[in-house]
Short mmCIF file of all heavy atoms in Angstrom, two decimals:
data_model
loop_
_atom_site.label_atom_id
_atom_site.label_comp_id
_atom_site.label_asym_id
_atom_site.label_seq_id
_atom_site.Cartn_x
_atom_site.Cartn_y
_atom_site.Cartn_z
N GLY P 1 0.40 8.63 -9.13
CA GLY P 1 -0.58 8.14 -8.17
C GLY P 1 -0.92 9.23 -7.18
O GLY P 1 -0.62 10.39 -7.42
N GLN P 2 -1.51 8.81 -6.06
CA GLN P 2 -1.87 9.77 -5.02
C GLN P 2 -1.72 9.15 -3.67
O GLN P 2 -1.83 7.95 -3.49
CB GLN P 2 -3.28 10.28 -5.24
CG GLN P 2 -4.34 9.24 -5.16
CD GLN P 2 -5.72 9.80 -5.40
OE1 GLN P 2 -5.93 11.02 -5.53
NE2 GLN P 2 -6.71 8.97 -5.45
N VAL P 3 -1.39 10.01 -2.68
CA VAL P 3 -1.30 9.62 -1.31
C VAL P 3 -2.17 10.61 -0.54
O VAL P 3 -2.07 11.80 -0.74
CB VAL P 3 0.18 9.71 -0.78
CG1 VAL P 3 0.21 9.25 0.65
CG2 VAL P 3 1.14 8.90 -1.62
N ARG P 4 -3.09 10.03 0.31
CA ARG P 4 -4.00 10.88 1.06
C ARG P 4 -3.83 10.64 2.54
O ARG P 4 -3.51 9.48 2.94
CB ARG P 4 -5.44 10.51 0.69
CG ARG P 4 -5.81 10.82 -0.77
CD ARG P 4 -7.18 10.32 -1.11
NE ARG P 4 -7.40 8.91 -0.96
CZ ARG P 4 -7.01 7.92 -1.78
NH1 ARG P 4 -6.41 8.26 -2.85
NH2 ARG P 4 -7.24 6.67 -1.54
N TYR P 5 -4.04 11.68 3.35
CA TYR P 5 -3.93 11.56 4.80
C TYR P 5 -5.13 12.12 5.43
O TYR P 5 -5.63 13.20 5.05
CB TYR P 5 -2.66 12.30 5.31
CG TYR P 5 -1.37 11.73 4.84
CD1 TYR P 5 -0.76 12.13 3.64
CD2 TYR P 5 -0.77 10.71 5.59
CE1 TYR P 5 0.42 11.54 3.24
CE2 TYR P 5 0.42 10.11 5.16
CZ TYR P 5 1.01 10.52 3.98
OH TYR P 5 2.18 9.96 3.58
N ALA P 6 -5.67 11.40 6.47
CA ALA P 6 -6.73 11.96 7.30
C ALA P 6 -6.17 12.07 8.70
O ALA P 6 -5.81 11.09 9.31
CB ALA P 6 -7.93 10.96 7.28
N ILE P 7 -6.06 13.32 9.14
CA ILE P 7 -5.50 13.59 10.48
C ILE P 7 -6.59 13.37 11.54
O ILE P 7 -7.67 13.92 11.45
CB ILE P 7 -4.86 15.01 10.56
CG1 ILE P 7 -3.72 15.08 9.57
CG2 ILE P 7 -4.44 15.34 12.00
CD1 ILE P 7 -3.10 16.46 9.47
N GLU P 8 -6.28 12.56 12.53
CA GLU P 8 -7.18 12.23 13.62
C GLU P 8 -6.42 12.41 14.93
O GLU P 8 -5.72 11.54 15.37
CB GLU P 8 -7.69 10.79 13.47
CG GLU P 8 -8.40 10.55 12.16
CD GLU P 8 -8.81 9.11 11.92
OE1 GLU P 8 -8.35 8.23 12.73
OE2 GLU P 8 -9.42 8.83 10.94
N GLY P 9 -6.50 13.58 15.50
CA GLY P 9 -5.81 13.88 16.75
C GLY P 9 -4.30 13.99 16.47
O GLY P 9 -3.89 14.74 15.61
N ARG P 10 -3.55 13.20 17.15
CA ARG P 10 -2.06 13.23 17.03
C ARG P 10 -1.55 12.20 16.02
O ARG P 10 -0.32 11.95 15.95
CB ARG P 10 -1.38 12.99 18.40
CG ARG P 10 -1.72 14.00 19.48
CD ARG P 10 -1.04 15.33 19.32
NE ARG P 10 0.39 15.20 19.30
CZ ARG P 10 1.26 16.20 19.19
NH1 ARG P 10 0.80 17.41 19.05
NH2 ARG P 10 2.54 16.05 19.19
N GLU P 11 -2.46 11.52 15.35
CA GLU P 11 -2.09 10.58 14.30
C GLU P 11 -2.80 10.90 12.99
O GLU P 11 -3.77 11.65 12.92
CB GLU P 11 -2.54 9.14 14.68
CG GLU P 11 -1.69 8.53 15.76
CD GLU P 11 -2.06 7.04 15.98
OE1 GLU P 11 -2.90 6.48 15.24
OE2 GLU P 11 -1.52 6.48 16.90
N ALA P 12 -2.28 10.32 11.94
CA ALA P 12 -2.92 10.37 10.60
C ALA P 12 -3.07 8.95 10.08
O ALA P 12 -2.30 8.06 10.41
CB ALA P 12 -2.06 11.23 9.67
N VAL P 13 -4.07 8.83 9.30
CA VAL P 13 -4.30 7.53 8.57
C VAL P 13 -4.02 7.78 7.10
O VAL P 13 -4.54 8.76 6.53
CB VAL P 13 -5.73 7.05 8.79
CG1 VAL P 13 -5.98 5.74 7.96
CG2 VAL P 13 -5.98 6.77 10.24
N VAL P 14 -3.18 7.00 6.49
CA VAL P 14 -2.79 7.16 5.08
C VAL P 14 -3.48 6.11 4.20
O VAL P 14 -3.76 5.00 4.62
CB VAL P 14 -1.22 7.00 5.00
CG1 VAL P 14 -0.77 5.62 5.43
CG2 VAL P 14 -0.77 7.26 3.56
N SER P 15 -3.75 6.58 3.01
CA SER P 15 -4.21 5.69 1.96
C SER P 15 -3.54 6.14 0.64
O SER P 15 -3.17 7.30 0.51
CB SER P 15 -5.68 5.64 1.84
OG SER P 15 -6.18 6.94 1.52
N MET P 16 -3.34 5.20 -0.24
CA MET P 16 -2.64 5.54 -1.47
C MET P 16 -3.13 4.71 -2.63
O MET P 16 -3.68 3.63 -2.41
CB MET P 16 -1.14 5.41 -1.33
CG MET P 16 -0.67 3.98 -1.09
SD MET P 16 1.07 3.72 -1.40
CE MET P 16 1.20 4.07 -3.08
N SER P 17 -2.84 5.19 -3.85
CA SER P 17 -3.09 4.39 -5.07
C SER P 17 -2.08 4.80 -6.09
O SER P 17 -1.68 5.97 -6.16
CB SER P 17 -4.51 4.60 -5.56
OG SER P 17 -4.72 5.91 -5.95
N ILE P 18 -1.66 3.85 -6.84
CA ILE P 18 -0.70 4.06 -7.89
C ILE P 18 -1.35 3.64 -9.25
O ILE P 18 -1.98 2.59 -9.29
CB ILE P 18 0.58 3.22 -7.71
CG1 ILE P 18 1.30 3.60 -6.41
CG2 ILE P 18 1.57 3.36 -8.89
CD1 ILE P 18 1.84 5.01 -6.32
N SER P 19 -1.19 4.45 -10.23
CA SER P 19 -1.70 4.14 -11.57
C SER P 19 -1.18 2.80 -12.03
O SER P 19 -0.02 2.44 -11.84
CB SER P 19 -1.31 5.21 -12.54
OG SER P 19 -1.66 4.88 -13.89
N SER P 20 -2.08 1.97 -12.59
CA SER P 20 -1.65 0.62 -12.98
C SER P 20 -0.45 0.57 -13.90
O SER P 20 0.39 -0.36 -13.75
CB SER P 20 -2.84 -0.11 -13.66
OG SER P 20 -3.25 0.59 -14.82
N LYS P 21 -0.23 1.50 -14.75
CA LYS P 21 0.95 1.45 -15.61
C LYS P 21 2.26 1.77 -14.89
O LYS P 21 3.33 1.57 -15.47
CB LYS P 21 0.73 2.35 -16.85
CG LYS P 21 0.87 3.82 -16.66
CD LYS P 21 0.51 4.48 -17.97
CE LYS P 21 1.42 5.65 -18.30
NZ LYS P 21 1.06 6.33 -19.52
N TYR P 22 2.20 2.28 -13.66
CA TYR P 22 3.39 2.64 -12.90
C TYR P 22 3.66 1.67 -11.74
O TYR P 22 4.61 1.87 -11.01
CB TYR P 22 3.34 4.07 -12.39
CG TYR P 22 3.41 5.04 -13.52
CD1 TYR P 22 2.26 5.80 -13.90
CD2 TYR P 22 4.60 5.27 -14.23
CE1 TYR P 22 2.37 6.73 -14.94
CE2 TYR P 22 4.66 6.20 -15.22
CZ TYR P 22 3.52 6.90 -15.60
OH TYR P 22 3.60 7.80 -16.63
N ARG P 23 2.81 0.68 -11.53
CA ARG P 23 2.96 -0.22 -10.37
C ARG P 23 4.22 -1.10 -10.62
O ARG P 23 4.63 -1.43 -11.76
CB ARG P 23 1.76 -1.11 -10.24
CG ARG P 23 0.54 -0.26 -9.78
CD ARG P 23 -0.69 -1.11 -9.59
NE ARG P 23 -1.82 -0.19 -9.34
CZ ARG P 23 -3.05 -0.51 -9.65
NH1 ARG P 23 -3.35 -1.67 -10.11
NH2 ARG P 23 -4.03 0.38 -9.41
N GLY P 24 4.81 -1.49 -9.44
CA GLY P 24 5.98 -2.37 -9.48
C GLY P 24 7.27 -1.69 -9.77
O GLY P 24 8.31 -2.33 -9.94
N ARG P 25 7.31 -0.38 -9.69
CA ARG P 25 8.56 0.39 -9.97
C ARG P 25 9.09 1.14 -8.77
O ARG P 25 10.04 1.91 -8.90
CB ARG P 25 8.26 1.40 -11.09
CG ARG P 25 7.84 0.81 -12.39
CD ARG P 25 7.72 1.86 -13.45
NE ARG P 25 7.07 1.36 -14.63
CZ ARG P 25 6.86 2.10 -15.72
NH1 ARG P 25 7.24 3.34 -15.73
NH2 ARG P 25 6.22 1.59 -16.75
N GLY P 26 8.49 0.89 -7.63
CA GLY P 26 8.98 1.52 -6.35
C GLY P 26 8.40 2.90 -6.08
O GLY P 26 8.79 3.57 -5.14
N PHE P 27 7.47 3.37 -6.93
CA PHE P 27 6.90 4.72 -6.70
C PHE P 27 6.06 4.73 -5.42
O PHE P 27 5.99 5.79 -4.82
CB PHE P 27 6.04 5.10 -7.90
CG PHE P 27 6.82 5.42 -9.15
CD1 PHE P 27 6.61 4.73 -10.29
CD2 PHE P 27 7.81 6.38 -9.14
CE1 PHE P 27 7.33 4.98 -11.47
CE2 PHE P 27 8.53 6.69 -10.27
CZ PHE P 27 8.28 6.01 -11.45
N GLY P 28 5.41 3.64 -5.10
CA GLY P 28 4.59 3.57 -3.91
C GLY P 28 5.37 3.92 -2.63
O GLY P 28 5.03 4.87 -1.93
N SER P 29 6.42 3.15 -2.37
CA SER P 29 7.22 3.40 -1.17
C SER P 29 7.89 4.75 -1.20
O SER P 29 8.00 5.44 -0.18
CB SER P 29 8.21 2.29 -0.93
OG SER P 29 9.06 2.11 -2.07
N GLN P 30 8.35 5.18 -2.35
CA GLN P 30 8.97 6.52 -2.51
C GLN P 30 7.99 7.64 -2.19
O GLN P 30 8.26 8.53 -1.43
CB GLN P 30 9.53 6.64 -3.91
CG GLN P 30 10.25 7.95 -4.12
CD GLN P 30 10.77 8.06 -5.56
OE1 GLN P 30 10.46 7.24 -6.41
NE2 GLN P 30 11.50 9.14 -5.83
N GLY P 31 6.78 7.49 -2.76
CA GLY P 31 5.73 8.55 -2.50
C GLY P 31 5.26 8.54 -1.05
O GLY P 31 5.09 9.60 -0.50
N ILE P 32 5.16 7.38 -0.45
CA ILE P 32 4.78 7.31 0.96
C ILE P 32 5.80 7.99 1.84
O ILE P 32 5.49 8.87 2.68
CB ILE P 32 4.58 5.85 1.41
CG1 ILE P 32 3.40 5.22 0.69
CG2 ILE P 32 4.37 5.79 2.92
CD1 ILE P 32 3.42 3.68 0.77
N ARG P 33 7.05 7.68 1.64
CA ARG P 33 8.12 8.19 2.47
C ARG P 33 8.22 9.71 2.31
O ARG P 33 8.35 10.44 3.32
CB ARG P 33 9.47 7.51 2.13
CG ARG P 33 10.55 7.89 3.10
CD ARG P 33 11.27 6.68 3.55
NE ARG P 33 12.36 6.98 4.46
CZ ARG P 33 12.32 6.70 5.72
NH1 ARG P 33 11.28 6.10 6.27
NH2 ARG P 33 13.31 7.05 6.51
N MET P 34 8.20 10.19 1.07
CA MET P 34 8.28 11.62 0.83
C MET P 34 7.14 12.42 1.44
O MET P 34 7.35 13.40 2.13
CB MET P 34 8.32 11.94 -0.67
CG MET P 34 9.59 11.61 -1.33
SD MET P 34 9.60 11.84 -3.13
CE MET P 34 8.21 12.77 -3.54
N THR P 35 5.96 11.94 1.31
CA THR P 35 4.79 12.64 1.81
C THR P 35 4.68 12.56 3.35
O THR P 35 4.21 13.46 3.99
CB THR P 35 3.44 12.19 1.13
OG1 THR P 35 3.30 10.77 1.34
CG2 THR P 35 3.50 12.51 -0.33
N CYS P 36 5.13 11.40 3.89
CA CYS P 36 5.16 11.26 5.36
C CYS P 36 6.09 12.35 6.01
O CYS P 36 5.71 13.01 6.96
CB CYS P 36 5.69 9.88 5.78
SG CYS P 36 4.51 8.58 5.66
N GLY P 37 7.28 12.54 5.34
CA GLY P 37 8.19 13.55 5.85
C GLY P 37 7.57 14.93 5.81
O GLY P 37 7.67 15.71 6.82
N GLU P 38 6.86 15.28 4.78
CA GLU P 38 6.20 16.58 4.65
C GLU P 38 5.10 16.70 5.69
O GLU P 38 4.90 17.73 6.28
CB GLU P 38 5.64 16.79 3.25
CG GLU P 38 6.74 17.06 2.21
CD GLU P 38 7.57 18.30 2.54
OE1 GLU P 38 6.95 19.37 2.83
OE2 GLU P 38 8.79 18.21 2.46
N LEU P 39 4.33 15.65 5.86
CA LEU P 39 3.26 15.66 6.83
C LEU P 39 3.78 15.90 8.22
O LEU P 39 3.21 16.70 8.98
CB LEU P 39 2.41 14.40 6.76
CG LEU P 39 1.10 14.42 7.53
CD1 LEU P 39 0.10 15.25 6.82
CD2 LEU P 39 0.57 13.00 7.68
N PHE P 40 4.85 15.21 8.63
CA PHE P 40 5.42 15.34 9.98
C PHE P 40 5.98 16.78 10.12
O PHE P 40 5.87 17.35 11.20
CB PHE P 40 6.51 14.34 10.22
CG PHE P 40 5.97 12.95 10.53
CD1 PHE P 40 6.43 11.86 9.84
CD2 PHE P 40 5.02 12.74 11.54
CE1 PHE P 40 5.97 10.57 10.13
CE2 PHE P 40 4.55 11.53 11.88
CZ PHE P 40 5.00 10.43 11.15
N LYS P 41 6.64 17.33 9.11
CA LYS P 41 7.18 18.66 9.24
C LYS P 41 6.14 19.76 9.35
O LYS P 41 6.36 20.80 9.97
CB LYS P 41 8.03 18.96 7.99
CG LYS P 41 9.30 18.25 7.94
CD LYS P 41 10.08 18.57 6.62
CE LYS P 41 11.24 17.63 6.45
NZ LYS P 41 11.85 17.86 5.15
N ASN P 42 4.96 19.54 8.74
CA ASN P 42 3.97 20.64 8.70
C ASN P 42 2.78 20.40 9.57
O ASN P 42 1.83 21.21 9.57
CB ASN P 42 3.51 20.75 7.22
CG ASN P 42 4.64 21.23 6.36
OD1 ASN P 42 5.28 22.19 6.60
ND2 ASN P 42 4.87 20.49 5.28
N ASN P 43 2.77 19.37 10.42
CA ASN P 43 1.60 19.08 11.27
C ASN P 43 2.11 18.60 12.61
O ASN P 43 3.17 17.95 12.69
CB ASN P 43 0.66 18.05 10.66
CG ASN P 43 0.06 18.54 9.39
OD1 ASN P 43 -0.96 19.26 9.44
ND2 ASN P 43 0.65 18.22 8.27
N GLU P 44 1.37 18.80 13.63
CA GLU P 44 1.73 18.32 15.00
C GLU P 44 1.10 16.95 15.19
O GLU P 44 0.15 16.80 15.95
CB GLU P 44 1.26 19.35 16.05
CG GLU P 44 2.04 20.63 15.97
CD GLU P 44 1.71 21.54 17.12
OE1 GLU P 44 1.34 21.10 18.23
OE2 GLU P 44 1.87 22.77 16.93
N ILE P 45 1.71 15.97 14.58
CA ILE P 45 1.28 14.58 14.75
C ILE P 45 2.44 13.73 15.16
O ILE P 45 3.63 14.13 14.91
CB ILE P 45 0.61 13.99 13.49
CG1 ILE P 45 1.56 14.02 12.33
CG2 ILE P 45 -0.65 14.72 13.11
CD1 ILE P 45 1.06 13.21 11.13
N ASP P 46 2.17 12.64 15.82
CA ASP P 46 3.25 11.77 16.32
C ASP P 46 3.45 10.53 15.43
O ASP P 46 4.56 9.94 15.48
CB ASP P 46 2.91 11.29 17.75
CG ASP P 46 2.86 12.48 18.69
OD1 ASP P 46 3.67 13.35 18.60
OD2 ASP P 46 1.92 12.45 19.55
#
């Protein structure tokens, strides 16, 4: 799937999609958490 972020000032807005064949396996929450961590480490957002 994919996770996208739009940075707006000190916040970001996230959107995501998971391929239909992989839904229901926990990839969504795992991908969100991993990419959030990277976004916070590499950007000055709150």
Side-chain angles (χ1 to χ4, degrees):
Q2 62 181 353
V3 183
R4 296 174 302 279
Y5 293 92
I7 297 175
E8 300 171 356
R10 300 284 301 180
E11 285 187 6
V13 176
V14 60
S15 60
M16 66 163 296
S17 63
I18 300 294
S19 173
S20 59
K21 77 185 220 181
Y22 292 107
R23 291 181 188 153
R25 299 185 191 181
F27 290 121
S29 57
Q30 182 182 6
I32 294 164
R33 189 132 179 110
M34 285 177 14
T35 59
C36 283
E38 288 300 312
L39 191 72
F40 283 127
K41 287 178 191 173
N42 296 308
N43 295 276
E44 293 188 26
I45 61 169
D46 298 319

